[in-house]
Amino acid sequence: MPRPGFVLDVDKSTPPILFHHGEGFRLEKLPAGRTRVIYPGEPLEPLEDVEAEIRKALAEPLDSEPLTALLKPGMKLTIAFDDVSLPLPQMKRPDIRQRVIEAVLDLAASAGVDDVHLIAALALHRRMTEDELRQAVGDRVYDAFAPSGALYNHDAEDPDNLAFLGTTPHGEEVEINKRAAESDLLIYVNINIVSMDGGHKSTATGLASYRSIKHHHNVSTMHNSKSFMDRHNSELHHSNWRMGKVIADAGVKVFQIETTINNDTFGQDGPMSVLAKREWEWTAKDRVTFVGMQQGLKRLSSPTRRKIFQSHRAPYGVTSVTAGAIEPVHERTLQHCFDQHLVEVEGQTDILTMGLPYICPYNVNSIMNPILVMCLGLGYFFNMYRGRPLVREGGVLIMTHPTPWEFHPVHHPSYIDFFEQVLSETTDPAIIEETFEKQFAEDEWYRHLYRTSYAYHGVHPFYMWYWGAHALKHLGRVIIVGGDPRAVKRLGFKSASTLTDAFEMAEDVVGPEPTITHLKNPPIVMADVK
Amino acid sequence: MKALRFERKPGRYVAATVAGRLSPGKGASVGPLKLKDVDEPKLPADDWVRLRPRLAGICGSDLATIDGHSSHYFEPIVSFPFTPGHEVVGNLDDDSRAVLIPVLSCVTRGIEPICPACEAGRTNHCGRIAFGHLEPGLQSGYCSDTGGGWSTDMVAHPSQLLAVPDALSDEAAVIVEPTACAVHAGRVVAAMGPKATVAVIGAGTLGLLTIAALRSEATVGTLVATAKYPHQKSLATTLGADRVVAPSELARLVRTLTGAWVLDGGQLTDGVDLVVDCVGTEASLAQALQVVGPGGEVLVVGMPGHTTLDLTSLWHRETAIRGCYAYTRPDFERALDLVAEADLARLVSATYPLARYTEAIEHAAGAGARGAVKIAFDLRKKDRR
Amino acid sequence: MAERKGLEKGLVALQKVRARVPAVREVVRKADFPYRAPTVPLTVEPAPAEQTLGAHYDSDWARKLPARYARFFLTEGMVRPIIAGLAQPERRGLDRLTDLDGPAIFAANHHSHLDAGLLITSLPEPHRHQVFAAGAADYFFDSKLKAISSALVLNAIPFERAKVGRRSAVQAAELLQAGWSMVIFPEGGRSPDGWGHEFRGGAAYLSIRNGVPVVPVHIAGTGRIMPKGRSRPKPSHTVVTFGTPMQPHEGERPPAFTLRIEAAVAALADEATSDWYSSRRRAAAGETPSLSGPSSGAWRRTWALTAQRKRRSSATRWPDLD
């Protein structure tokens, strides 16, 4: 029986707490008496027979006819699926997307559907490589569809392959992938790793163009998404839901299949398993493994370290498969997400600490550059709340990460320019949006790289910055422990060499004897702040 | 009188070359430059006058000479022993202050008739710099007859003098000479017509002044600059640069600005209309060729030396490299105003007495890293000489 | 004098060196998590320690090749000579096993710790080196050392005494399916007084479930060498009698089959103390003496036991006075 997440009050008997630190770890003794640590829940029991659950979900969808009734000979069928940005880290094969898609295709084959396209719904993310596509959809599906060009990446900059569907009452333009829009049925296969994913966002963002995405990926929306992990209080989602209505009104029929996975990120054995354990439960073997891992990592070059970490595949268990109409499906999916992630927390804190791991949604098989560090900390982790932010307004956020001044030249070309040319001028999201976004978004070279190479769209680093806009506005100071001071400074943050120094620096902002809360993520935990 | 003397001593010159390679400015302590007690220079002709330096700047070309990596090109147009120092503000016999215009043109050499270049007012192009009644020397400060600014006494031809208004401080006046260089560059650019995009490489004294001069003399759209150090960056911005980045970031900035594409070798398909290279090293020239657009121009303001460059792009993209040397009297007159307008006196970061010349030169050689721009000798107080 | 100075210098140098090398105690005292075990926060109820001993002991490693090699040498090089020296075993009925191919469950009565070693070394090839033992989880697997040695020497897997637990049953079944034979003492423990106990259902259950025959075995004499409660062995003569392999009848339930197995072992006991034919006759008449002895007072049980003990006297019972 997995134990739920909980809030630990740190006392003198509490051992040092594990902090992720990029491709490494720190053990930090936290002040007793005024510190809380929010521990994630242990992995929920996975479904025993995933294939059967998939078949059941397709046969008994929510608010929809069974899938078999929707599949007809001669129809135009498009299957869209989530891209390489999730799950994090990537899943041990078989990926749940593969299992769902295979089940769907089995039904389509027996229904005699010939015209099937599979599209990676990557919005403005980089294109997926063949290996990554194979990992996601499996070799059977890849070999059946890719050679004939029926399995491909969505291209948000292909004017010939986008369909304008209309405008929401708020004036938001809706433009999505033409093939998806013109299909008789669009099946969306999702992985809801966090509660931000899924719902109408799947299609309205995943298959959309810059023209459409910019209506909700902007500073004002992010300021009004509190948090963007809580869809009912997120302007980001409200906008996507409005767009979803336009898509439905335009006659696009979407059959949504959402899946959730448990918290089994690091496995039950192997050297990584110690990372998911509570420190006081570390056995002698765990400690030896940990010390050995630390010493070993210290002696490796950072590319080697990165390679080792990036090759980790998580043995996630699937906890739910739900299919049918988007909204009821998503509500049920959210419940499964929250069952795994939510931990009740009483009240806010002065200082929020977090250990940032080696991966975020945008550096799979890549380098976690400083902009992504900001996005992971101030975007994703900061927004892991429901109700109120974990840290009070004007409080301090302390994160640990080496934050190297390093960029993947193929994946993140516009990030380099954003870091060098934009952040050197200002770190204010609103000014950045106003002054620089258009230039980057419309740069022909970035467009070329996005469409033909494996680069994120030119505007993507802006979105990373907007993702942290709410946190930037809310926080009094951000401190990165153990980061490259030059890079940290460029981000507009303070750098500290130790956590103790960081606490001292934080006291200048929040006063003496501050309360501290540590969000022990990953595995994923989300605070339900009362 | 006290003077820093640069003598022809090949052994010491080699030592300076080695020391200068190891640590910039170190050539001063082992090289041919020595502080000496020497006779005041004689007046070469009746119309010459005495100039007692008040402040004398240390220029990049001086440093190259001291560290032993200036080109052999200079050998016939320099005469030993000489007292360096061509950025000079000093007192005349009547105690009025004047700035030295160091170019030694036909008039100063007593050559008649004057050469066509001097005739045309382009004294910096004078063809007689090794002839006449003066020993060879392209400028005061490189000629054994004139003395130089790094002493308490030198001689100057009246055509070489420009009166300093009382309102102008010595610090402002000593920066007039490099400013005149920049004004000259600015006017060269102005003659080329409006430039939509310009990159200035280097944010030392010359780079910063060039940015100011481009803004005041020429019609320039977007001006980007490179700067290694934060104080250079903020000065460059206040003097008129739109965007300032680290040298390694220039190519990407130019790419973003011009919307260029990138070839596999890193070459940009487009670039800026004009690059002003205020450094003059192999690396800066190569970078200039990298970021200049097809049909564009590279103006070399910083003094280069013996350099290896791949000129394929010069040919393929029909770009041009053009030098830009010194100034004319009108440039100086304009510079005097510009120094006041743009408050360029702030670029003088530190002054040293002659006795501490090794420190002064090391400071000048490492100015950027030590948060400085222009270093000068202060000869105003007897006890500080 | 000079020598003393040299010596003093040496001592001083030595002390300096010692002062620089931190004492082990210091190092240990200064060590912090993770070099030292963590303390548990006061507000946290520590999780029950994960069961790695007893029935939860994972003995899979003992079936890996290195352990099998080690066991081969231990069995042949150590256990067999010891058994030969202590027990001077006489092995009977091996001919009944000639038709046996594939794994079997060897079910024997149990007097002494020697039984397992004796029985395993008495097994014919190929069973001898392809066999595992069911060891009482609470006895053989209660400490790490005991667990490791039981697993290594006897290839034991942990078995609950009272009933076959799910884990044990699954593991035993897996091994039987994989071709391993099994040694089990269905009494669930050593005899405290020399008489047998009622057989438990494990052997029958596993046999029925996995379709593996049961070979009844009777071991006589080990109780004299090292009975329960004695730690220093006394050499004596022993007899190991193998019975005919038994298959469960169609639809037979474990309790019934258990009774048959017990009866078979009892018949072998009878055979060992008398002769084969008379034991068969008594068996046919249903008069085979029970393994558990007469249900009477304590002294009569012991008395009856001495009657079985007269068989052949050991050569070295008395000191040689000649």
Side-chain angles (χ1 to χ4, degrees):
Chain A
M1 182 65 193
R3 294 177 293 177
F6 79 112
V7 179
L8 170 76
D9 289 308
V10 172
D11 55 39
K12 297 270 186 204
S13 302
T14 306
I17 303 295
L18 175 86
F19 278 58
H20 284 261
H21 186 74
E23 286 96 6
F25 315 98
R26 311 170 70 99
L27 282 174
E28 299 285 1
K29 191 89 187 158
L30 294 172
R34 54 192 171 95
T35 308
R36 304 179 296 184
V37 181
I38 307 175
Y39 277 87
E42 292 182 337
L44 294 176
E45 288 295 341
L47 299 174
E48 284 220 5
D49 188 345
V50 177
E51 314 285 335
E53 290 292 332
I54 294 171
R55 283 194 299 271
K56 186 163 160 250
L58 300 182
E60 302 163 17
L62 302 180
D63 289 1
S64 165
E65 291 174 81
L67 184 57
T68 40
L70 300 171
L71 299 170
K72 309 214 161 55
M75 78 183 296
K76 209 171 182 181
L77 174 66
T78 299
I79 303 174
F81 55 91
D82 280 341
D83 77 336
V84 74
S85 60
L86 38 91
L88 297 173
Q90 289 184 79
M91 191 170 182
K92 266 199 179 126
R93 279 183 160 198
D95 194 284
I96 180 62
R97 284 167 289 202
Q98 168 188 345
R99 299 167 86 164
V100 172
I101 291 172
E102 284 182 358
V104 167
L105 287 173
D106 274 342
L107 295 181
S110 49
V113 183
D114 288 326
D115 185 3
V116 181
H117 278 212
L118 292 112
I119 306 177
L122 45 77
L124 303 179
H125 298 169
R126 69 173 172 86
R127 297 177 333 117
M128 291 169 77
T129 62
E130 180 182 332
D131 281 350
E132 289 162 348
L133 285 168
R134 283 181 181 276
Q135 154 86 28
V137 302
D139 294 325
R140 268 177 64 198
V141 175
Y142 187 89
D143 293 331
F145 291 92
S148 60
L151 167 63
Y152 49 87
N153 291 297
H154 167 62
D155 182 349
E157 288 286 357
D158 182 358
D160 302 336
N161 250 318
L162 292 167
F164 182 74
L165 299 183
T167 310
T168 71
H170 288 59
E172 299 142 321
E173 300 151 286
V174 181
E175 185 178 54
I176 67 164
N177 186 291
K178 196 175 191 176
R179 162 76 200 193
E182 290 175 354
S183 292
D184 297 312
L185 182 64
L186 170 63
I187 299 180
Y188 197 102
V189 180
N190 124 312
I191 302 181
N192 237 88
I193 179 171
V194 290
S195 49
M196 181 193 75
D197 306 323
H200 285 296
K201 189 171 169 291
S202 293
T203 301
T205 299
L207 290 172
S209 67
Y210 170 65
R211 177 185 178 190
S212 197
I213 289 172
K214 71 174 182 210
H215 290 291
H216 42 72
H217 278 50
N218 57 47
V219 178
S220 146
T221 303
M222 295 325 288
H223 279 163
N224 291 311
S225 298
K226 296 176 174 178
S227 71
F228 63 63
M229 290 290 174
D230 178 9
R231 95 140 196 86
H232 295 284
N233 291 301
S234 161
E235 186 52 34
L236 171 70
H237 290 85
H238 297 332
S239 175
N240 271 289
W241 257 243
R242 291 191 292 268
M243 291 185 169
K245 187 163 183 313
V246 172
I247 293 170
D249 291 348
V252 181
K253 176 145 185 52
V254 184
F255 186 85
Q256 183 91 351
I257 308 172
E258 298 197 346
T259 64
T260 53
I261 52 180
N262 66 11
N263 253 350
D264 196 1
T265 310
F266 299 111
Q268 303 304 310
D269 37 36
M272 293 281 221
S273 63
V274 62
L275 304 178
K277 289 190 176 168
R278 297 166 183 179
E279 288 78 359
W280 55 93
E281 289 168 3
W282 286 16
T283 62
K285 189 176 157 199
D286 291 330
R287 289 183 286 124
V288 168
T289 312
F290 180 78
V291 170
M293 201 154 65
Q294 282 284 69
Q295 297 298 329
L297 288 172
K298 222 193 278 178
R299 283 162 181 76
L300 295 175
S301 69
S302 67
T304 318
R305 272 206 299 269
R306 206 170 279 139
K307 209 180 228 172
I308 292 173
F309 275 82
Q310 290 286 355
S311 63
H312 174 68
R313 294 282 178 273
Y316 294 121
V318 177
T319 53
S320 74
V321 179
T322 319
I326 296 175
E327 295 185 11
V329 165
H330 190 59
E331 280 312 305
R332 189 172 289 185
T333 300
L334 281 182
Q335 204 45 55
H336 286 285
C337 269
F338 290 148
D339 285 349
Q340 177 70 84
H341 300 148
L342 267 193
V343 174
E344 261 189 40
V345 180
E346 207 59 53
Q348 293 178 307
T349 185
D350 296 324
I351 301 175
L352 176 63
T353 61
M354 43 180 71
L356 300 186
Y358 67 98
I359 201 168
C360 82
Y362 315 109
N363 75 314
V364 175
N365 301 324
S366 187
I367 297 173
M368 180 125 142
N369 62 53
I371 297 164
L372 294 177
V373 171
M374 184 276 193
C375 177
L376 181 61
L378 275 72
Y380 286 98
F381 282 20
F382 176 86
N383 278 287
M384 279 293 177
Y385 74 83
R386 198 164 78 168
R388 297 184 290 164
L390 263 171
V391 56
R392 70 170 167 84
E393 188 148 8
V396 174
L397 176 65
I398 300 176
M399 2 191 233
T400 59
H401 192 276
T403 324
W405 190 307
E406 259 187 278
F407 294 82
H408 196 292
V410 173
H411 295 161
H412 302 122
S414 67
Y415 280 65
I416 309 179
D417 294 338
F418 180 86
F419 196 64
E420 289 179 352
Q421 295 160 31
V422 176
L423 292 183
S424 56
E425 302 293 315
T426 176
T427 56
D428 183 321
I431 298 178
I432 288 175
E433 179 176 43
E434 196 190 314
T435 321
F436 297 99
E437 180 181 314
K438 193 173 148 61
Q439 183 197 350
F440 275 66
E442 293 174 1
D443 190 307
E444 281 298 332
W445 173 240
Y446 298 146
R447 198 173 273 163
H448 170 79
L449 292 178
Y450 161 78
R451 297 190 60 191
T452 63
S453 174
Y454 296 97
Y456 280 85
H457 193 275
V459 80
H460 203 258
F462 290 77
Y463 293 166
M464 298 297 92
W465 208 255
Y466 304 162
W467 244 226
H470 162 32
L472 280 177
K473 196 171 159 192
H474 183 86
L475 294 167
R477 178 174 283 186
V478 179
I479 303 171
I480 296 185
V481 176
D484 172 351
R486 284 167 59 241
V488 172
K489 190 166 180 224
R490 177 63 59 91
L491 292 173
F493 304 152
K494 301 278 178 206
S495 58
S497 48
T498 67
L499 189 61
T500 318
D501 288 352
F503 284 142
E504 293 278 330
M505 291 159 69
E507 286 188 14
D508 296 344
V509 178
V510 296
E513 291 287 302
T515 56
I516 300 164
T517 299
H518 178 58
L519 187 68
K520 206 165 178 313
N521 193 354
I524 295 168
V525 56
M526 178 168 170
D528 194 2
V529 184
K530 298 290 172 200
Chain B
M1 66 153 195
K2 286 261 193 295
L4 282 166
R5 269 300 171 90
F6 199 94
E7 294 176 349
R8 188 190 284 279
K9 288 189 172 166
R12 283 183 171 272
Y13 191 78
V14 171
T17 310
V18 174
R21 285 270 161 84
L22 296 175
S23 167
K26 272 283 180 221
S29 46
V30 299
L33 187 72
K34 282 280 166 286
L35 183 61
K36 295 209 161 164
D37 234 334
V38 296
D39 295 335
E40 281 119 29
K42 292 190 195 71
L43 294 174
D46 294 343
D47 52 348
W48 282 66
V49 295
R50 293 207 168 275
L51 181 68
R52 284 183 302 282
R54 293 175 63 79
L55 286 178
I58 301 171
C59 168
S61 57
D62 296 328
L63 294 170
T65 310
I66 290 167
D67 276 344
H69 40 71
S70 55
S71 165
H72 290 304
Y73 177 88
F74 288 116
E75 270 179 26
I77 48 175
V78 168
S79 50
F80 292 91
F82 66 85
T83 299
H86 54 273
E87 303 176 354
V88 188
V89 54
N91 285 114
L92 297 172
D93 283 339
D94 61 1
D95 258 5
S96 68
R97 289 183 304 155
V99 172
L100 180 75
I101 305 173
V103 170
L104 292 170
S105 60
C106 288
V107 181
T108 66
R109 295 176 176 278
I111 289 172
E112 293 234 19
I114 57 175
C115 74
C118 287
E119 181 72 49
R122 294 181 282 112
T123 47
N124 57 329
H125 294 169
C126 175
R128 309 286 185 266
I129 45 176
F131 311 102
H133 62 59
L134 290 179
E135 286 292 313
L138 72 166
Q139 294 191 338
S140 301
Y142 293 101
C143 173
S144 58
D145 282 342
T146 59
W150 299 1
S151 69
T152 54
D153 205 324
M154 66 182 292
V155 294
H157 188 267
S159 72
Q160 285 187 289
L161 295 172
L162 190 64
V164 178
D166 288 344
L168 212 62
S169 66
D170 288 336
E171 282 75 14
V174 80
I175 215 81
V176 169
E177 192 272 354
T179 308
C181 276
V183 167
H184 184 68
R187 288 177 164 180
V188 168
V189 172
M192 296 174 186
K195 296 285 182 190
T197 47
V198 176
V200 176
I201 299 179
T205 311
L206 201 49
L208 293 170
L209 295 172
T210 301
I211 292 167
L214 284 172
R215 279 294 178 213
S216 74
E217 306 305 306
T219 313
V220 165
T222 305
L223 198 164
V224 300
T226 66
K228 277 186 183 166
Y229 304 102
H231 71 286
Q232 294 177 336
K233 183 177 172 178
S234 63
L235 281 170
T237 309
T238 53
L239 292 175
D242 296 310
R243 309 292 300 280
V244 187
V245 292
S248 60
E249 301 171 2
L250 179 65
R252 282 190 291 269
L253 176 62
V254 168
R255 196 218 63 75
T256 313
L257 283 180
T258 59
W261 290 31
V262 187
L263 305 182
D264 280 351
Q267 301 101 316
L268 305 181
T269 57
D270 202 351
V272 291
D273 299 333
L274 169 73
V275 182
V276 184
D277 180 0
C278 299
V279 179
T281 59
E282 198 167 296
S284 71
L285 285 166
Q287 186 171 40
L289 286 174
Q290 186 195 6
V291 300
V292 70
E297 196 149 357
V298 176
L299 191 64
V300 184
V301 177
M303 185 185 79
H306 195 92
T307 301
T308 310
L309 276 180
D310 182 354
L311 292 179
T312 317
S313 73
L314 179 98
W315 165 81
H316 175 227
R317 291 156 63 125
E318 296 191 320
T319 53
I321 300 185
R322 179 173 173 182
C324 182
Y325 165 68
Y327 25 66
T328 60
R329 192 169 180 94
D331 295 335
F332 251 85
E333 284 159 355
R334 173 69 190 117
L336 207 58
D337 294 337
L338 185 57
V339 164
E341 284 164 22
D343 183 23
L344 299 178
R346 59 186 150 155
L347 300 192
V348 179
S349 312
T351 61
Y352 285 81
L354 282 184
R356 291 173 62 198
Y357 75 98
T358 50
E359 282 170 72
I361 284 162
E362 273 181 51
H363 196 168
R370 291 167 67 174
V373 181
K374 173 60 75 182
I375 307 297
F377 288 111
D378 187 346
L379 307 141
R380 287 171 293 196
K381 288 185 190 142
K382 284 222 158 20
D383 55 336
R384 283 202 66 206
R385 280 170 193 165
Chain C
M1 200 59 194
E3 253 174 45
R4 269 196 66 180
K5 255 196 179 158
L7 199 66
E8 264 170 27
K9 262 190 193 165
L11 280 174
V12 169
L14 197 69
Q15 279 197 334
K16 269 187 190 162
V17 170
R18 272 188 53 183
R20 222 174 281 164
V21 179
V24 175
R25 218 178 56 197
E26 286 294 298
V27 173
V28 172
R29 208 179 53 179
K30 276 187 191 152
D32 207 346
F33 180 73
Y35 296 95
R36 164 181 281 220
T39 49
V40 180
L42 301 178
T43 48
V44 170
E45 190 67 38
E50 202 193 323
Q51 299 266 338
T52 56
L53 289 173
H56 295 271
Y57 184 74
D58 183 0
S59 60
D60 279 351
W61 61 271
R63 256 83 59 194
K64 299 265 158 61
L65 207 56
R68 293 183 65 177
Y69 275 117
R71 185 159 52 248
F72 178 84
F73 287 109
L74 281 171
T75 310
E76 300 301 326
M78 204 173 85
V79 178
R80 178 179 292 283
I82 290 174
I83 295 291
L86 285 178
Q88 306 145 27
E90 180 188 340
R91 299 178 176 103
R92 301 182 188 171
L94 282 170
D95 54 319
R96 289 167 176 152
L97 305 181
T98 40
D99 287 342
L100 183 68
D101 47 85
I105 297 170
F106 294 90
N109 61 329
H110 200 16
H111 295 292
S112 162
H113 283 324
L114 287 178
D115 290 344
L118 175 61
L119 177 50
I120 287 174
T121 50
S122 303
L123 291 179
E125 293 282 12
H127 302 284
R128 194 187 303 157
H129 298 296
Q130 183 78 19
V131 69
F132 67 98
D138 58 14
Y139 186 89
F140 288 100
F141 293 92
D142 64 341
S143 82
K144 199 105 194 173
L145 186 70
K146 269 161 96 178
I148 289 175
S149 33
S150 309
L152 180 65
V153 181
L154 301 176
N155 191 12
I157 64 168
F159 245 72
E160 292 91 338
R161 285 177 200 269
K163 61 171 178 57
V164 183
R166 187 168 166 222
R167 208 184 121 86
S168 311
V170 167
Q171 201 182 3
E174 275 171 12
L175 290 171
L176 288 168
Q177 298 297 345
W180 291 77
S181 291
M182 180 180 187
V183 163
I184 189 169
F185 299 102
E187 288 165 88
R190 288 168 296 158
S191 158
D193 57 4
W195 289 105
H197 285 234
E198 194 184 323
F199 275 27
R200 310 257 165 95
Y205 169 78
L206 289 171
S207 165
I208 293 169
R209 207 173 141 212
N210 298 295
V212 173
V214 173
V215 177
V217 184
H218 181 257
I219 298 172
T222 51
R224 288 193 296 271
I225 302 172
M226 202 164 88
K228 190 170 184 169
R230 193 193 292 170
S231 58
R232 194 183 285 170
K234 205 163 100 191
S236 178
H237 176 77
T238 54
V239 181
V240 182
T241 316
F242 290 93
T244 312
M246 304 164 70
Q247 289 284 3
H249 298 316
E250 191 67 34
E252 193 173 26
R253 306 283 305 151
F257 190 31
T258 302
L259 285 177
R260 285 211 291 130
I261 295 168
E262 185 175 349
V265 175
L268 291 173
D270 193 12
E271 181 185 327
T273 43
S274 59
D275 65 282
W276 173 73
Y277 187 64
S278 37
S279 79
R280 289 316 306 156
R281 280 177 53 194
R282 275 196 289 278
E287 289 169 1
T288 304
S290 159
L291 273 179
S292 45
S295 51
S296 49
W299 79 266
R300 280 177 58 197
R301 284 168 62 84
T302 315
W303 185 254
L305 210 55
T306 54
Q308 299 180 4
R309 210 177 264 171
K310 47 115 210 160
R311 294 275 311 152
R312 230 183 293 169
S313 62
S314 160
T316 53
R317 276 326 271 282
W318 296 94
D320 197 353
L321 297 178
D322 294 333

